[in-house]
Amino acid sequence: MTDNYQKTNSSRVTLSQLMLPSHSNFSGKIHGGYLLSLMDQIAFACGSKFSGLYCVTASVDRVDFLNPIEVGELVTLKASVNYVGNSSMVIGIRVDAQNIQTGKVTHCNSSYFTMIAKDAQGNNIRVPRLILTSKEDVLRYMKTIERLKLRHSYAELCTDFNGDIQQAINSITEKGDVKVQLS
């Protein structure tokens, strides 16, 4: 069987939205949950556009809110497929906010969503392979491999205590910076 190949630029999606008072939190900044919702939407659109299939969110790598977003700013999210597995796609997302009056653009966050392609019955289905056409594509692909390796090594470092509370307490208190006082 010959695999289907797609260029990364066939996955690119841009979404811009004006931030309204209804999107703000109690401190008057744009609510992080609202921004995460927009990021999930663009990850879905990007993965679906690339694969031609329905996609679901499998995981979200670290999301750091680097700079607050103000009401009245124009938020632009850009997404592209950086890496593909069998049925999974790692979608890179960049979020910028622009002050419309001054034109100043601020990078607010970057994140990586792993999306899984599904068939009509809800089963995982193979996605197209990637064609990398630029140095930037190659670097994004390699950085994703590094992040995936780190994620897997971290998972191996985590000890499974199988419900053994004493083993868990011993591990926690080894460092000496935590006390466990069970009642």
Side-chain angles (χ1 to χ4, degrees), residues 68-79:
I69 299 171
E70 304 289 338
V71 170
E73 290 187 320
L74 182 65
V75 168
T76 300
L77 298 91
K78 294 181 181 180

Side-chain angles (χ1 to χ4, degrees), residues 1-148:
M1 178 177 124
T2 304
D3 279 327
N4 178 22
Y5 284 83
Q6 299 263 18
K7 293 180 180 179
T8 56
N9 63 4
S10 72
S11 73
R12 293 200 176 107
V13 177
T14 301
L15 171 69
S16 293
Q17 187 167 354
L18 183 65
M19 294 296 104
L20 303 174
S22 61
H23 304 139
S24 66
N25 59 24
F26 293 111
S27 68
K29 309 297 183 197
I30 299 308
H31 195 282
Y34 181 72
L35 188 57
L36 286 170
S37 174
L38 290 176
M39 293 169 73
D40 193 50
Q41 289 175 40
I42 198 168
F44 168 82
C46 180
S48 294
K49 181 181 177 189
F50 178 78
S51 67
L53 301 162
Y54 178 75
C55 296
V56 297
T57 306
S59 70
V60 179
D61 281 1
R62 180 180 179 114
V63 178
D64 291 320
F65 294 93
L66 306 173
N67 291 294
I69 299 171
E70 304 289 338
V71 170
E73 290 187 320
L74 182 65
V75 168
T76 300
L77 298 91
K78 294 181 181 180
S80 69
V81 172
N82 291 353
Y83 176 87
V84 296
N86 288 319
S87 61
S88 66
M89 297 159 282
V90 176
I91 312 293
I93 301 171
R94 180 183 171 100
V95 180
D96 291 322
Q98 181 180 26
N99 180 308
I100 294 175
Q101 285 133 356
T102 66
K104 181 181 178 192
V105 176
T106 304
H107 178 214
C108 298
N109 79 30
S110 294
S111 189
Y112 303 91
F113 280 53
T114 300
M115 305 301 287
I116 305 293
K118 299 287 187 175
D119 66 14
Q121 291 73 42
N123 300 310
N124 294 358
I125 187 166
R126 188 170 172 86
V127 297
R129 310 291 85 203
L130 275 176
I131 299 173
L132 306 175
T133 59
S134 69
K135 290 179 184 179
E136 184 177 88
D137 287 348
V138 171
L139 290 174
R140 286 179 177 168
Y141 185 89
M142 292 307 297
K143 285 180 180 180
T144 301
I145 289 174
E146 289 174 11
R147 275 193 310 281
L148 291 172

